[in-house]
Amino acid sequence: MSAGNGGCLGAGSTVRTRIALVYGGVFLVLGALLLLVVNLLVRAGMDGETDAIVARAGGGGGDGGVAVVEAYRIGDDVGRAANEQMLMWSCLSLLVIACGAVVVGWWTAGRVLRPVHEMTARARRLSERNLDERLAVRGPDDELKELGDTIDALLGRLEAAFDSRRRFIANASHELRTPLATQRAAIQVGLDDDCGVRQVLLDANRHSERLLDGLLLLARGERGLAEREDVPFAEVVAEEYEDAAVAEHGVVRGNRVLLRQLVRNLVANAVVHNVPGGTVGVRVEGGVLTVVNTGPVVPPGDVEGLFEPFRRGEGRDRTGPGAGLGLSIVRSIAVAHGGSVTAVARGAGEGGGLVVTVTLPVTATRP
């Protein structure tokens, strides 16, 4: 778990390392202050003891003055040597114990932060596909457990929000299917073929049905895959586009119907958003599908927005043949299969258009 930009350790340092170093640094400072006080007190005490010893040594007569001077000199030398030895060994001991304090701090921080690492690992495995899982932190009722319970409560609210959105899309689409079918039947039966309004109404009805089908498929892709099977990806692509170039066959673990819809939407998007006399190229290599088309030049900054629902390319309006869900559905299906989708805009010199690449995890490949 990477820490933020704290202290002079930089953004790459971990909380555990910082705790250990802070623990060792505080111990070193406090230990140095303690040794300084002890050395000053010992030195003051030794000076007093030296004076007493010298006074006793020079208490006799005769050459007492010479003996006192010699005794003071010897006492100063002994005291100085003792102070130097004590200071040296005190500093060495302080450094050794400070290193030990860092090790102890490292071990203690690891024990304290272990629940945080477990929560981080569990949180990384969570996505909108498995929001029903919880961190479920166990242990004493402390700050870490409070943090875990707060995250679990947040996950519960997110799960409810995602489920509500998915149910709304699915239910609304299902509920609107029946009146649209009734409307289409009424138009076909109630209006003559030569009626000018008949075809306009039928086109609008079909557009609404395609929109509902896209919403249902998008909601299904966002719910994830309940069942999976081994699907030859190149075979699925060939079913939707016979002229696809296959460099390597790959087996994808997923849903065959959704994968066919993914290929169908990509090819349809490449055909619809093209220019007269343009080209479409489809290539499969393992679990990588690449679709290239000519077409209007798309600004690089607008490419990511094309994957948003109801977004169309430049010059497309809401009465056109598409519902604006093609690339959104492609991304939703790819993510449901554990894959990803990227798009790159081609320049005017390359004929414009896009290069869309779908990457899916494969279980086996063969030339």
Side-chain angles (χ1 to χ4, degrees):
M1 182 180 63
S2 297
N5 294 328
C8 60
L9 297 177
S13 62
T14 64
V15 173
R16 187 178 185 182
T17 303
R18 295 196 302 179
I19 291 177
L21 293 179
V22 169
Y23 187 83
V26 170
F27 180 87
L28 183 63
V29 172
L30 295 179
L33 291 175
L34 176 63
L35 290 180
L36 178 62
V37 173
V38 170
N39 275 271
L40 292 176
L41 293 176
V42 169
R43 177 170 297 182
M46 288 188 64
D47 290 341
E49 291 295 328
T50 301
D51 292 340
I53 294 172
V54 170
R56 288 196 300 270
D63 295 331
V66 177
V68 169
V69 173
E70 185 65 20
Y72 270 111
R73 188 181 63 80
I74 295 174
D76 289 340
D77 293 341
V78 171
R80 189 182 305 106
N83 288 331
E84 291 175 354
Q85 287 294 315
M86 186 177 67
L87 181 61
M88 180 185 68
W89 289 109
S90 297
C91 292
L92 290 177
S93 301
L94 178 62
L95 291 177
V96 172
I97 297 176
C99 293
V102 172
V103 174
V104 173
W106 174 269
W107 179 82
T108 304
R111 292 294 299 270
V112 173
L113 294 174
R114 183 176 300 171
V116 178
H117 286 288
E118 293 176 356
M119 285 190 290
T120 302
R122 293 175 186 174
R124 283 174 179 165
R125 294 193 297 267
L126 295 177
S127 67
E128 62 178 279
R129 318 292 176 186
N130 56 349
L131 284 176
D132 57 321
E133 299 182 10
R134 296 293 182 268
L135 301 181
V137 179
R138 299 178 180 179
D141 192 11
D142 54 10
E143 289 82 356
L144 292 179
K145 190 174 187 304
E146 182 181 2
L147 174 62
D149 294 341
T150 302
I151 295 176
D152 285 343
L154 174 62
L155 290 175
R157 293 192 294 271
L158 288 175
E159 181 185 11
F162 275 105
D163 287 343
S164 176
R165 186 191 68 171
R166 293 165 184 164
R167 284 196 302 269
F168 172 79
I169 294 175
N171 293 338
S173 300
H174 279 299
E175 291 297 328
L176 290 173
R177 273 180 175 275
T178 300
L180 283 175
T182 303
Q183 184 186 72
R184 183 178 68 254
I187 294 172
Q188 292 173 337
V189 174
L191 297 178
D192 297 331
D193 292 342
D194 56 353
C195 179
V197 183
R198 184 176 188 271
Q199 189 60 43
V200 175
L201 293 176
L202 285 176
D203 290 342
N205 183 270
R206 293 193 185 97
H207 177 80
S208 298
E209 288 182 338
R210 284 195 297 268
L211 176 59
L212 289 177
D213 290 338
L215 288 173
L216 276 172
L217 192 59
L218 186 61
R220 182 182 178 186
E222 289 184 348
R223 284 196 300 267
L225 304 179
E227 298 181 359
R228 296 174 181 264
E229 61 177 330
D230 289 335
V231 181
F233 191 44
E235 180 180 312
V236 171
V237 175
E239 291 174 356
E240 297 297 326
Y241 193 82
E242 296 180 355
D243 296 331
V246 179
E248 185 179 64
H249 289 266
V251 177
V252 175
R253 188 77 177 166
N255 184 288
R256 190 184 189 97
V257 175
L258 288 179
L259 290 175
R260 288 189 62 179
Q261 187 66 43
L262 178 148
V263 179
R264 184 180 304 131
N265 280 21
L266 272 182
V267 174
N269 186 78
V271 172
V272 171
H273 297 277
N274 213 316
V275 293
T279 60
V280 174
V282 180
R283 174 183 172 85
V284 185
E285 185 172 358
V288 179
L289 169 64
T290 304
V291 177
V292 183
N293 74 316
T294 54
V297 177
V298 180
D302 295 344
V303 172
E304 187 62 26
L306 297 177
F307 289 94
E308 298 177 6
F310 306 109
R311 286 290 297 272
R312 296 168 172 83
E314 184 178 357
R316 301 287 174 177
D317 55 32
R318 296 192 179 275
T319 61
L325 293 173
L327 291 181
S328 300
I329 292 174
V330 169
R331 171 167 285 181
S332 177
I333 296 174
V335 172
H337 286 78
S340 61
V341 182
T342 59
V344 178
R346 304 174 72 195
E350 300 173 295
L354 293 174
V355 179
V356 182
T357 304
V358 178
T359 304
L360 302 175
V362 296
T363 59
T365 58
R366 62 181 177 83

